[in-house]
Amino acid sequence: MAARPVVLLGYDGVQGLDLTGPLDVFAGACEWVSRTGSADPGYRPMVASPDGGPFRTTAGMTVMPDTSLAAITGRLDTVVVPGGAAAVEPLGDRRIVDWLRGYAPSVRRVTSVCAGAFLLAEAGLLDGRRATTHWSACARLAERYPAVRVDPDSIYVHDGDVYTSAGVTAGMDLALALVEADLGRRAALTVARWLVMFLHRPGNQAQFSVQLTTQYADHAPVRELQRWLGDNYGADLTVDAMASRARMSPRHFARSFRQQTGTTPGRYLQRVRLEAARRRLEESDTPAERIAAACGFGSAETMRRVFVAALGMPPAEYRRRFRTGTPGPGPVPGPLD
């Protein structure tokens, strides 16, 4: 059995980490195969540009590819299409789009990172499929390609033999998921540890933490309250209590909070609590009743209703699907071992 050929596409204006992140994951998997003596042959990753010549990333780094699109022959296991502003405007590199149209049917799986989804969509590979991209470009993807069912929240989406991921580092999450599917959990866990990553952010997790929205609040009292809520979501909080904390009248606070964050204080707090409960369900065996109390839901039934409304599943099902498992027996080698 030969190593799985993986082609990562490069072009002028590509987002560097969209390309190098998944490449490092596949390279790490090759290292794991070599160190463990696994019977699985692993991967043969290569970078290809449209003409085989060097290209520059958005950060100005020049990359020398391994090959050109025209020189690729034989059946490929995986194609990774990174994103970047050049993938969106005007309609991406036509040479890549044309190559995808012709070659994709013979590839086991085609994947995109971030705005790379626009190149897949332009090639017709996302028609009738669920897909995602960077949260800031989801509306544009849906408007430009109405045949695509855009999921604006997921970190990555798998629909048939096509995989799409959200922005930048989400491409590494997707690559780890592919490694886990091919080589097993222990291989993916080892690579994740080498790269100082969490092994398993489930694909249907939100693209970014609720706490990251603090950067969008320009008004200092609202911004400070958001940060405070990140550590105190378990408290018995009402809108009036939050307004008092922000040293504002309840009416002015509610209006200002919505203007600054795009949502109401109550909904924002519920999202923070939901995120906290999800982490605890993924990372511990703590009973649901204790998690509900610690995260401010008051009761397990209230938490269950929030989970069903937001995620389409109760907490017990969420834990069953996404509980972080333990590695297999034996030590996990470090990068310097």
Side-chain angles (χ1 to χ4, degrees):
M1 181 179 176
R4 302 170 180 82
V6 177
V7 169
L8 301 98
L9 304 186
Y11 50 89
D12 282 328
V14 70
Q15 172 75 39
L17 194 54
D18 284 10
L19 172 69
T20 60
L23 180 60
D24 275 338
V25 171
F26 288 118
C30 294
E31 178 70 10
W32 180 86
V33 167
S34 174
R35 293 190 186 195
T36 61
S38 170
D40 191 292
Y43 303 98
R44 182 166 58 88
M46 65 191 99
V47 176
S49 68
D51 59 4
F55 56 90
R56 286 175 67 82
T57 70
T58 54
M61 178 176 64
T62 299
V63 179
M64 179 61 70
D66 301 294
T67 188
S68 68
L69 295 182
I72 296 174
T73 59
R75 181 174 173 82
L76 299 177
D77 181 82
T78 304
V79 169
V80 180
V81 184
V88 181
E89 300 296 347
L91 289 174
D93 192 314
R94 300 305 310 185
R95 295 170 296 177
I96 291 178
V97 171
D98 292 342
W99 182 85
L100 286 169
R101 282 180 178 148
Y103 221 100
S106 66
V107 179
R108 180 166 77 99
R109 58 193 178 197
V110 177
T111 74
S112 68
V113 182
C114 197
F118 283 80
L119 293 170
L120 297 191
E122 184 66 16
L125 301 181
L126 299 184
D127 288 354
R129 298 183 188 270
R130 284 181 62 240
T132 193
T133 186
H134 192 283
W135 60 267
S136 67
C138 283
R140 195 183 323 178
L141 182 66
E143 180 180 5
R144 184 178 293 178
Y145 303 101
V148 181
R149 292 181 285 125
V150 178
D151 181 342
D153 295 320
S154 296
I155 290 178
Y156 55 84
V157 171
H158 171 203
D159 192 328
D161 56 0
V162 177
Y163 299 70
T164 53
S165 68
V168 197
T169 58
M172 300 177 74
D173 289 293
L174 173 56
L176 277 173
L178 299 180
V179 169
E180 184 175 9
D182 293 339
L183 304 183
R185 180 177 180 80
R186 185 163 180 75
L189 177 62
T190 303
V191 174
R193 288 180 173 176
W194 285 346
L195 296 175
V196 196
M197 291 179 62
F198 292 109
L199 167 61
H200 195 219
R201 284 199 297 170
N204 72 344
Q205 280 193 353
Q207 284 197 24
F208 54 89
S209 165
V210 177
Q211 305 310 315
L212 291 182
T213 58
T214 57
Q215 64 186 297
Y216 300 129
D218 297 324
H219 192 40
V222 173
R223 184 171 62 249
E224 290 304 315
L225 176 69
Q226 288 177 290
R227 291 172 177 164
W228 184 83
L229 288 175
D231 294 323
N232 297 276
Y233 48 79
D236 184 12
L237 294 169
T238 63
V239 173
D240 285 355
M242 287 187 281
S244 177
R245 178 82 191 181
R247 298 181 296 280
M248 301 165 68
S249 71
R251 176 177 292 184
H252 179 53
F253 168 71
R255 182 171 61 249
S256 180
F257 194 97
R258 188 175 188 110
Q259 288 173 346
Q260 291 287 310
T261 68
T263 189
T264 66
R267 288 174 183 164
Y268 181 86
L269 177 59
Q270 186 176 91
R271 288 174 58 197
V272 172
R273 287 171 167 169
L274 177 64
E275 183 177 283
R278 287 167 69 166
R279 287 198 305 268
R280 295 186 185 213
L281 287 167
E282 292 165 15
E283 299 168 2
S284 76
D285 293 317
T286 304
E289 293 79 7
R290 288 175 55 191
I291 292 177
C295 293
F297 288 108
S299 70
E301 176 57 26
T302 298
M303 185 173 77
R304 189 193 71 81
R305 288 198 298 268
V306 171
F307 265 72
V308 171
L311 305 176
M313 68 183 80
E317 175 65 12
Y318 183 87
R319 170 174 271 165
R320 187 187 70 79
R321 292 191 189 185
F322 302 125
R323 171 76 171 93
T324 302
T326 56
V332 177
L336 302 180
D337 289 351

